[in-house]
Amino acid sequence: MKTLSTIEDRILQRINVEIGNDFKKLHRAAIIAEDYETRLKNIANKFSYDQENNTSSFKTAFEHQEQASESINFQIEKLNQFSEKLSHRIEKSNKALELVSSDLEKVRQLQQLAGYLRIIEEIKELNNALTNALNGRDELKIINLYLNLYEENNTEHCILGRLCNVNANFLKSFANSTATYWYGLLRERFVREFGTLLKTIRWGQKDQNLIHHKPSEDNITKAQILAECLFMYHFTGVKQTNRLDKPEWFYTQILNWGKETHLFVGQTFQPSAVKAGKIDFNIRLEFLRGLIQLTIEKLAMDIEEVSRDENLFAHLLDETLAFEAEIKENFGYPTSFPICADKMDAILHAENSWIVIDPNTLDDDLKIPKCADKFVCLLEAIKDRYYSLIQPGHQLQFLDLQLKLIDDFRRRLVQLHSNGVIESIPILNAINYVKMVLSEWGENIHYLHLHAALVGPNAEEVNSVFEHPVSELEHWTQELLKNLATKAVNEIKAKSMAYRHDGWPNMPEQNSREPFILSPSAGEMFQVMVTILHNFERTLSANLFNVTLRIIAKQIDDYILDSMVMNNKFSPAGAAQFNYDMTRNMFALFGQYSRRPDLLFKKIHDANKLLNISRGTALLLHETLNSNSSLEDEMKALRELGIVNFKPQTCIEILERRTDIRMH
């Protein structure tokens, strides 16, 4: 009724608007009625499905609805048919299952019995294997055999662990009795052997002279295994002493072991090491390093779980830094003998660690050794660990760890280079990549916040937290590049003698119809130059190669001027040949790697101009430079000839190298 009333209101409103109180407009009533009649017909046509030319959306929607209904009904019919067939199949299967159910129960019982007997057989085999191994010398084999019987940390693979949820009390009792029996025997053996071992290596006998005593390698290995097992027993697995929230417990144990024995180890065994020729081998520090390695392995096991809890992670960080400070302060553990030495060794000495990463996966301009990439990944992993920590103080402690690792990495590279283990080019590529990454990180908002937290909000300048390590790496890079370029230039110099002492003052005039060719005396020098530049371009990162190219060019530029131009006389033909050798050959060679090679050889470029300008111009310039003209006039005369890199006196000396200018 509401809708009808609304329609009537709309009609009345239209009549009032178009006719109103004016009787003269009553004829419009017929027009209004006709309009409404037309509208009704149009609406009726839209809902008329019999007409083929009706393309209204209503007709299309109803047709789609009918098709969907038919499809649904068809699928329902198929489901009903399938349900009927399935019911028949289930009924047949149930009948068959009833017939074989008793047999299946017997099979199930036999399977359980087979599993029961299999476990008994495994226990028997382990028992026999332990019996045979007990009198042997392979302690690790004995331990592994026992762990197959019982291992607290790996219940899925040991026999007692697999029996936890099995309802077989007698079998459990048998397995427990066997494990207890062998635990007693193994404990008795290891206690006895440990005591014998300590006596053999004369542990604790302070009054003994051990300089002639040399424990066997086997005894040393046994002592190491027993010490590691003792630590692992207390601080791994389900032990009250192994708690993630108490890392200070295992740190304290390591410190106590160190305090009790490190001086004794050094005083007792250092003389033997010296006698063996290992003068620089510090036994005491190596002993401490072994203890610290236990903490590293412990941290490697716990770090993933600890990092999930911010409080545990922050506490572990505090204790680790405190441990590091104490081990260095109280035990004289040097900074150059890093706690992360083994990780760094693994990075730098791993197989293929200095092979360049496939350039197709990274920027082709960079030559990145795998060890440098792994080191950057290590730094990034540390950053990912502490990135979510809320307290800036905790983040700064991790930043300090990153800075120490960077310094250690640099020291290791210096050591490898100084010892001749790794050549300069791989070292350069490694420090170049690390330096570029650190420079980029220094502009990252995360590290900028750490810098602000480090220096305070009132700092005058905002610098990178990696400014110091980057500057050290940059300084070393420049030194290595300079040495690399100098070595290359020395090779070029060694092949330049014939060229430098060629017959420049007596060289005959070139036939104008014949083109210039490279001086035969320069062939060997240029061959070395080509090889060096090609090898550098192939093995150095692009930015390093560009710097090296400029250094080499600068040294060659100075050398050619000082050792050749200033030590020779040049006839016009000799000057022309020298100009051709330089501009068309050496400049062209360096032009493969530089857009403006003439800017790399400014002195040679200007010297060639002075040697090859016409005789009249040369005489006039020589006279001008020798006159009492002002320096400004002299420099103006040089600039007119395009000479901007020499002082007037140097230009005079070069002009006097020409044989066509006679000095009076």
Side-chain angles (χ1 to χ4, degrees), residues 293 440 662:
Q293 180 61 26
E440 182 179 344
R662 302 295 179 183

Side-chain angles (χ1 to χ4, degrees), residues 16-17 43 59 66 103 113 144 236 241 317 413 424 437 465 474 512 579 585 588 590 649 658 661:
N16 290 331
V17 171
I43 293 173
K59 179 181 179 181
E66 290 177 357
D103 294 332
L113 179 60
N144 287 329
T236 60
T241 50
L317 173 62
L413 292 183
S424 297
V437 170
V465 291
E474 178 63 30
S512 59
N579 181 61
N585 290 277
F590 279 79
Q649 183 58 39
R658 296 174 56 138
I661 296 181

Side-chain angles (χ1 to χ4, degrees), residues 428-453:
L428 276 166
N429 286 330
I431 60 178
N432 177 65
Y433 176 62
V434 173
K435 176 168 62 72
M436 292 178 67
V437 170
L438 294 180
S439 298
E440 182 179 344
W441 285 0
E443 299 175 358
N444 183 279
I445 189 68
H446 166 71
Y447 289 108
L448 290 176
H449 283 162
L450 288 183
H451 180 268

Side-chain angles (χ1 to χ4, degrees), residues 11-52:
I11 294 173
L12 289 174
Q13 184 180 4
R14 181 177 178 183
I15 292 173
N16 290 331
V17 171
E18 295 190 14
I19 299 176
N21 298 326
D22 191 353
F23 288 99
K24 294 180 180 181
K25 295 181 179 180
L26 284 176
H27 65 281
R28 295 187 61 83
I31 297 174
I32 294 173
E34 185 179 352
D35 178 59
Y36 279 119
E37 185 178 356
T38 302
R39 290 188 182 184
L40 289 172
K41 287 182 180 180
N42 290 335
I43 293 173
N45 289 333
K46 288 183 179 180
F47 289 94
S48 177
Y49 305 139
D50 298 332
Q51 298 180 11
E52 295 182 359

Side-chain angles (χ1 to χ4, degrees), residues 180-225:
T180 303
Y181 169 76
W182 280 109
Y183 174 80
L185 287 180
L186 296 180
R187 184 177 182 277
E188 180 182 352
R189 170 183 168 160
F190 288 133
V191 168
R192 183 177 64 253
E193 285 195 358
F194 190 55
T196 304
L197 175 63
L198 294 179
K199 291 180 181 179
T200 302
I201 64 176
R202 302 183 186 180
W203 184 265
Q205 301 179 23
K206 298 184 178 180
D207 297 331
Q208 297 291 330
N209 183 8
L210 301 179
I211 193 166
H212 300 294
H213 177 62
K214 183 180 180 182
S216 67
E217 187 71 25
D218 183 55
N219 285 335
I220 294 175
T221 303
K222 287 181 180 179
Q224 181 180 353
I225 292 173

